[in-house]
Amino acid sequence: MKKILIVFLLSLLIASCNRDEIVESQLPVATNLHGYYILSEGTMSPGNAKLSFYSEGSDSFYTNIFRPGNLGLFPDGMIFYNSFLYILEQGNYGSAGKLYKVDTSGAVIQSLTLGLNPYSLTGLNNKLYISNGPGGYVTVVDASSLTVLKNIQSGVYPQEIASGGDKIFVCNMSLYGGDADSSISVIDCNSDGLIKKIYLKKDPSSICVGGNFIYAGCYSDTATIYKIDINSLNISYVYNVPNFGFDRDLSYDAANGFLYYISKTNDIVRLNLQTGDYYKLIPNQNPGTLYFYGYKYDSANRRHLICDARDFASSGKFFIYNFYGDAESVYTTGVAPRRIVIK
């Protein structure tokens, strides 16, 4: 989970795949294309992280469109906001990271050194809100000028972050080998002040917006997912999912009333928000070879998008599945693909 603190040593195996179409060209991607951006963390050596792009219209995959130069150490945060990509780079542990403002073709427009291992970000009111795990605070940045406006104390090791209504929601996790936390910090985006802490089960590791609610999942062998009213900030319902556990990457399906997430058993689980029923929609059939490291549901195209980090040392894979969990295509990415942004 905290990639810069853990070195994964897994067996190197080769997985079979249905389809693997790769465009090796690093030519600019047309700005009017629709598709998916995939951000790969790379290894502990700088320069091998990558920003990939899948073009839906041409069914083409660009392995690395980031330019000029290369991404640095452990880029983990990425959003598409105000027609730009914003990418966060953690950097060396205990050091400042970097924020990039990137156009849709992958070209860097501006960059800013900031924070303390900045990890995740969200955008609201032309401002970016950035979690800084080791520092315990959220940095507020003007999205146009990339000027730091403020730092807001949040809690122990803030990681995942999301915006809903006029509020920012921050998951405070436990410090590796140190203090623990179990809260979500709520920040008012008008005053940029902390207005409430919502206490959950230990280690809220993922958060997403669904209608007038925030859904938050806690990292555990037995999944606990909270439904929180965006306006009242009260917990409306608690889903207890005893099997499979919970790991990361909640994604909301408004049309069908489902939540999807990566389970502790490293499968994609579907949870029916009306009935509470759940099951493995996309099981990891080869856990010794595959590692589901990132996930997002594309509601417009009814697709499941999965990043496979494999052994965290060799090139990963990007999978596209249909609504029913059937594999449609697979592409080769950089090492340790983690984030997916839909354009």
Side-chain angles (χ1 to χ4, degrees), residues 216-230:
C218 293
Y219 181 77
S220 174
D221 290 333
T222 57
T224 305
I225 298 172
Y226 295 82
K227 181 181 181 181
I228 302 167
D229 188 285
I230 286 177

Side-chain angles (χ1 to χ4, degrees), residues 167-220:
K167 301 177 184 71
I168 307 298
F169 298 83
V170 190
C171 292
N172 300 307
M173 297 192 64
S174 300
L175 183 63
Y176 185 73
D179 294 337
D181 206 334
S182 60
S183 68
I184 291 179
S185 295
V186 185
I187 297 169
D188 181 279
C189 76
N190 298 305
S191 65
D192 285 336
L194 181 67
I195 58 173
K196 186 172 182 177
K197 278 199 169 185
I198 304 169
Y199 289 91
L200 313 177
K201 190 176 179 180
K202 183 175 177 291
D203 289 342
S205 59
S206 183
I207 193 165
C208 74
V209 178
N212 293 318
F213 298 93
I214 285 284
Y215 295 90
C218 293
Y219 181 77
S220 174

Side-chain angles (χ1 to χ4, degrees), residues 20 50 59 71 91 132 140 146 149 193 195 314 336:
D20 197 346
K50 292 181 179 179
D59 193 26
L71 286 159
N132 296 267
V140 186
L146 294 198
L149 302 175
I195 58 173
S314 56

